[in-house]
Amino acid sequence: MDVSRIHRVLNNAVALARLNNDGAPATYIPELAHAPHEMTSAAITLRDGTCLRAGETAFHRFTMHSVAKVILLAAMLEENGERQVFSWIYAEPSGLSFSSAAQLDIFGPAPSNPLVNAGAIVLCSHLEGEKAERLAWLESWAEKLLGERVRINPRVFYSELQTGDRNRALAYLMKSNGVINGDIAEILHTYFYLCSIETDVLQASRMTMLFANAGREHTGARLLSERTAAIVTAIMTTSGLYDESGMHLVRTGLPAKSGVSGLIVAVALGRAGIAVASPRINEKGGSVRGHIMLEHISRELGWHFALR
């Protein structure tokens, strides 16, 4: 691949995205409302380990929020196997928002897929051990896939604890239907902790490169089984952006996962991992500038999966 051309396209994607001022940070999680509106960054990690960056990558950090569900899903598949995981949840696109309660009635009683809030809450309910053990397990897997030590943003974590009533409602509804057991407060503590993992686009693009490279690092070392990488990528394709997954795939052909902090990660199969971030989100929870960057990268580089 022409690395200089890819880097030029990446820089142009960031410049193009900065012309758009639509959207706003997620205010229903108060701490996210404080994010600097203009922060915009992007990174691409190629299969050979080359990492290209553009925008404010030196100081743009953010919490992963729903993008961290990818880590949870991959880890649960590795340790429990797909038969067990898909006995707890389904793997169908809901066509509804990330916090929809209606999907539990439509697809229920189990959540439609592991990338909606309800699905990740169910997976958190199946983590073993006391609170400290569960949190240490999450950190260990996050560090493995992101490639560096991670930290939890305490302000975002406590903001989630104080305002997460929608997720509490989902959890209690599922408990009433026999989908989850255990203490709801403990389960949600784990889930909010997962969402509060802090990262940047460099780490996030390295993680998605693993899925682009069938679970292997650029060195050839295997971090995930090929089967796990394939399953996670497939579910990202159908459900990673909730009720905008279809149009995103039409425009980019890149399996992806969004988070309301403004991060979107994407997989260019067999080529690279991509991460884009900017806090202004649309009504469906996806970064407005992030969408612009991904579409530009895909079109200019011909990375739509149907064009391979």
Side-chain angles (χ1 to χ4, degrees):
M1 289 186 284
D2 185 342
V3 173
S4 62
R5 178 168 178 263
I6 295 171
H7 202 184
R8 184 168 61 253
V9 168
L10 186 64
N11 279 306
N12 290 342
V14 171
L16 180 65
R18 282 182 172 142
L19 299 176
N20 188 296
N21 292 316
D22 293 340
T27 57
Y28 63 91
I29 301 173
E31 189 60 36
L32 295 187
H34 302 318
H37 289 29
E38 299 306 316
M39 282 287 189
T40 305
S41 60
I44 294 175
T45 298
L46 303 177
R47 287 180 62 193
D48 66 359
T50 300
C51 189
L52 309 173
R53 64 189 76 184
E56 292 97 348
T57 56
F59 43 84
H60 187 195
R61 294 187 62 82
F62 37 79
T63 47
M64 296 188 77
H65 275 83
S66 285
V67 174
K69 294 170 184 172
V70 172
I71 296 173
L72 177 64
L73 174 58
M76 294 297 274
L77 286 168
E78 288 288 283
E79 295 199 4
N80 295 276
E82 61 185 281
R83 183 184 297 275
Q84 182 66 76
V85 168
F86 294 120
S87 72
W88 298 327
I89 52 176
Y90 302 126
E92 303 296 336
S94 71
L96 299 169
S97 72
F98 53 86
S99 61
S100 169
Q103 60 96 10
L104 293 173
D105 290 327
I106 296 170
F107 296 94
S112 56
N113 66 72
L115 299 185
V116 294
N117 291 15
I121 290 169
V122 166
L123 292 186
C124 285
S125 77
H126 287 283
L127 296 183
E128 298 179 353
E130 299 298 321
K131 181 191 296 184
E133 294 173 290
R134 297 195 303 272
L135 303 186
W137 183 90
L138 290 176
E139 287 186 22
S140 175
W141 270 102
E143 290 171 3
K144 181 176 182 178
L145 299 188
L146 292 169
E148 296 181 28
R149 290 288 301 270
V150 298
R151 67 180 295 270
I152 306 301
N153 186 310
R155 296 185 303 276
V156 172
F157 174 67
Y158 286 111
S159 191
E160 288 266 24
L161 280 177
Q162 293 167 0
T163 62
D165 289 340
R166 181 78 176 186
N167 289 312
R168 291 184 179 90
L170 292 172
Y172 278 111
L173 177 58
M174 290 188 290
K175 186 170 184 177
S176 73
N177 289 331
V179 175
I180 60 176
N181 298 303
D183 183 86
I184 295 301
E186 290 290 307
I187 293 168
L188 288 175
H189 188 282
T190 303
Y191 174 69
F192 294 144
Y193 195 86
L194 173 73
C195 294
S196 302
I197 294 172
E198 195 171 84
T199 190
D200 57 31
V201 289
L202 302 178
Q203 291 180 339
S205 69
R206 285 198 292 266
M207 178 185 74
T208 43
M209 188 275 290
L210 295 173
F211 299 106
N213 200 30
R216 293 184 183 274
E217 290 187 294
H218 71 278
T219 61
R222 180 165 293 286
L223 293 190
L224 296 171
S225 70
E226 188 172 0
R227 181 65 180 169
T228 289
I231 291 171
V232 174
T233 302
I235 298 176
M236 289 170 67
T237 304
T238 63
S239 309
L241 277 75
Y242 315 113
D243 47 340
E244 59 178 347
S245 296
M247 188 53 68
H248 162 80
L249 198 64
V250 167
R251 289 173 174 163
T252 71
L254 299 171
K257 183 72 195 80
S258 63
V260 295
S261 62
L263 171 64
I264 307 177
V265 297
V267 178
L269 291 166
R271 294 186 172 107
I274 309 168
V276 294
S278 195
R280 299 176 187 267
I281 62 172
N282 61 24
E283 70 280 1
K284 299 181 187 294
S287 170
V288 174
R289 290 183 176 183
H291 281 304
I292 292 169
M293 288 186 276
L294 288 176
E295 185 171 356
H296 182 80
I297 291 166
S298 174
R299 285 178 178 268
E300 291 300 310
L301 297 176
W303 281 4
H304 195 296
F305 75 93
L307 299 177
R308 295 191 69 193

